[in-house]
Amino acid sequence: MTDTPFRFPSDDELMAGPNALEEPSEEIDDAAVDDADGVPTSARVEIVVPEIPEGYTAGFACLVGRPNAGKSTLTNAMVGQKVAIMSDRPQTTRHNVRGVVHRETSQLVLVDTPGLHRPKTLLGKRLNDLVRETLLDVDVIAFCLPADEKVGPGDRYIARDLAELRKPVVGVVTKTDTVSREALAAQLLAVDALGDWADIVPVSAKRHEQVDVLEEVLIGYLPPSPPLYPTGEITDEPQAVMIGELVREAALEGVRDELPHSLAVVVDEVLDPAKDSASSAVKGRGQRLQVRVSVVVERDSQKAIIIGKGGSRLKEIGVNARKGIEKLLGRKVYLDLHVRTAKDWQSDPKALAKLGF
């Protein structure tokens, strides 16, 4: 049998074929046609459009301020669940974290940003640039200033930057539970004198005081819009990023002052024994999710601090991080931690790229 060479049909053959613009042929089986509109039932697709209340609003609110101003704690309080890691160490947040607040007639997307500061490294400069880029794309800004710290040069510098954006800026006095009523009143006056704010709201995320008031104020500046995220979704953080952040949060607890800035975390591998062909790499009992993470520091002396005497410190980090990861994922986890050194990675462009900055 010889192969017949393929040829395109001629124009006459094409013209003689069925015309999609004409009425359907009478040869179509009546049983496959809906009597109401003549469309074949096999071709029907049901489209469900969610009902959106009239006057629904949705948009982005950026939380900005100096390091350790309480932005991440406030983000978690408004979302109602933990989406951003927290630490009393400054410059804990190193990327934008989005948390979604769902209301019946609105959706508020919070963007928790790294603290603005005077950069000493290339990493610091890139984090500042990230914050400034983010400010251009949001609907309202929440400028966070802690109640227990006097307004300083850094706050005035940020206030001048925000004044040039021509966006509504809400002054948020955080950590009100840490000061007396007299000290809070004095701080509110100092913040009021700092700029021309759309509103000023004092809050305590720890005690959940005035948090709902701040939500209402921010929502008031959102534009009419359908929801931006599906119902029930509280963040768009990738799973691997959240795992890495939980490890870094555990590693930051109880370390020396200089170490947090030199600490980075990379999730090397996440394997599910039930799905991945990783039987030889499975450790621990049962079908635990296999999570392998590298903790990166800049010097060998810092590596020794993280590991601790006889590995005690690294073991403690692993225990605390695993609890958070298992709560996040809803299943048992085998966490494999390794510590490695990348000399002066905060100022090395290639190292920063490898670490995701």
mmCIF file of all heavy atoms in Angstrom, residues 23-24 27 71 95 106 299 310 320 322:
data_model
loop_
_atom_site.group_PDB
_atom_site.id
_atom_site.type_symbol
_atom_site.label_atom_id
_atom_site.label_comp_id
_atom_site.label_asym_id
_atom_site.label_seq_id
_atom_site.Cartn_x
_atom_site.Cartn_y
_atom_site.Cartn_z
ATOM 1 N N GLU A 23 -28.173 28.236 8.634
ATOM 2 C CA GLU A 23 -28.978 27.556 9.624
ATOM 3 C C GLU A 23 -28.541 26.101 9.715
ATOM 4 O O GLU A 23 -28.076 25.512 8.738
ATOM 5 C CB GLU A 23 -30.460 27.625 9.233
ATOM 6 C CG GLU A 23 -31.044 29.034 9.280
ATOM 7 C CD GLU A 23 -31.044 29.591 10.696
ATOM 8 O OE1 GLU A 23 -31.215 28.808 11.651
ATOM 9 O OE2 GLU A 23 -30.848 30.803 10.845
ATOM 10 N N PRO A 24 -28.708 25.469 10.876
ATOM 11 C CA PRO A 24 -28.322 24.057 11.010
ATOM 12 C C PRO A 24 -29.099 23.172 10.049
ATOM 13 O O PRO A 24 -30.242 23.455 9.716
ATOM 14 C CB PRO A 24 -28.694 23.733 12.464
ATOM 15 C CG PRO A 24 -28.772 25.052 13.152
ATOM 16 C CD PRO A 24 -29.200 26.036 12.110
ATOM 17 N N GLU A 27 -30.822 17.505 9.208
ATOM 18 C CA GLU A 27 -30.405 16.151 9.533
ATOM 19 C C GLU A 27 -29.985 16.000 10.987
ATOM 20 O O GLU A 27 -29.760 14.904 11.468
ATOM 21 C CB GLU A 27 -29.238 15.742 8.629
ATOM 22 C CG GLU A 27 -29.621 15.659 7.155
ATOM 23 C CD GLU A 27 -28.437 15.298 6.296
ATOM 24 O OE1 GLU A 27 -27.336 15.099 6.876
ATOM 25 O OE2 GLU A 27 -28.592 15.214 5.075
ATOM 26 N N LYS A 71 4.132 46.427 61.661
ATOM 27 C CA LYS A 71 3.350 46.237 60.426
ATOM 28 C C LYS A 71 2.876 44.787 60.262
ATOM 29 O O LYS A 71 1.723 44.539 59.922
ATOM 30 C CB LYS A 71 4.182 46.663 59.214
ATOM 31 C CG LYS A 71 4.640 48.120 59.250
ATOM 32 C CD LYS A 71 5.408 48.511 58.008
ATOM 33 C CE LYS A 71 6.751 47.812 57.890
ATOM 34 N NZ LYS A 71 7.688 48.162 58.980
ATOM 35 N N HIS A 95 10.164 40.789 52.003
ATOM 36 C CA HIS A 95 9.447 40.847 50.739
ATOM 37 C C HIS A 95 8.013 41.268 51.033
ATOM 38 O O HIS A 95 7.577 41.265 52.182
ATOM 39 C CB HIS A 95 9.487 39.493 50.018
ATOM 40 C CG HIS A 95 8.706 38.417 50.703
ATOM 41 N ND1 HIS A 95 9.142 37.784 51.845
ATOM 42 C CD2 HIS A 95 7.505 37.865 50.416
ATOM 43 C CE1 HIS A 95 8.258 36.892 52.234
ATOM 44 N NE2 HIS A 95 7.240 36.914 51.387
ATOM 45 N N SER A 106 -16.966 44.303 50.625
ATOM 46 C CA SER A 106 -15.640 44.796 50.231
ATOM 47 C C SER A 106 -14.579 43.727 50.435
ATOM 48 O O SER A 106 -14.789 42.751 51.163
ATOM 49 C CB SER A 106 -15.267 46.050 51.034
ATOM 50 O OG SER A 106 -15.251 45.752 52.419
ATOM 51 N N ARG A 299 29.124 34.336 57.805
ATOM 52 C CA ARG A 299 30.446 33.971 58.351
ATOM 53 C C ARG A 299 30.344 32.655 59.113
ATOM 54 O O ARG A 299 29.285 32.290 59.639
ATOM 55 C CB ARG A 299 30.964 35.081 59.283
ATOM 56 C CG ARG A 299 31.214 36.408 58.569
ATOM 57 C CD ARG A 299 31.877 37.415 59.495
ATOM 58 N NE ARG A 299 31.020 37.791 60.618
ATOM 59 C CZ ARG A 299 30.072 38.714 60.541
ATOM 60 N NH1 ARG A 299 29.851 39.344 59.393
ATOM 61 N NH2 ARG A 299 29.352 39.013 61.609
ATOM 62 N N GLY A 310 26.765 21.261 70.295
ATOM 63 C CA GLY A 310 26.253 19.928 70.028
ATOM 64 C C GLY A 310 25.003 19.913 69.163
ATOM 65 O O GLY A 310 24.244 18.937 69.167
ATOM 66 N N ASN A 320 10.638 24.197 66.635
ATOM 67 C CA ASN A 320 9.693 25.321 66.589
ATOM 68 C C ASN A 320 9.177 25.573 65.172
ATOM 69 O O ASN A 320 7.990 25.858 64.977
ATOM 70 C CB ASN A 320 10.359 26.585 67.142
ATOM 71 C CG ASN A 320 10.659 26.489 68.623
ATOM 72 O OD1 ASN A 320 9.996 25.743 69.351
ATOM 73 N ND2 ASN A 320 11.664 27.217 69.084
ATOM 74 N N ARG A 322 8.966 23.377 62.719
ATOM 75 C CA ARG A 322 8.121 22.269 62.268
ATOM 76 C C ARG A 322 6.681 22.422 62.780
ATOM 77 O O ARG A 322 5.728 22.102 62.070
ATOM 78 C CB ARG A 322 8.704 20.928 62.728
ATOM 79 C CG ARG A 322 8.007 19.733 62.080
ATOM 80 C CD ARG A 322 8.619 18.410 62.459
ATOM 81 N NE ARG A 322 8.406 18.103 63.866
ATOM 82 C CZ ARG A 322 9.354 18.068 64.785
ATOM 83 N NH1 ARG A 322 10.607 18.349 64.445
ATOM 84 N NH2 ARG A 322 9.084 17.779 66.033
#
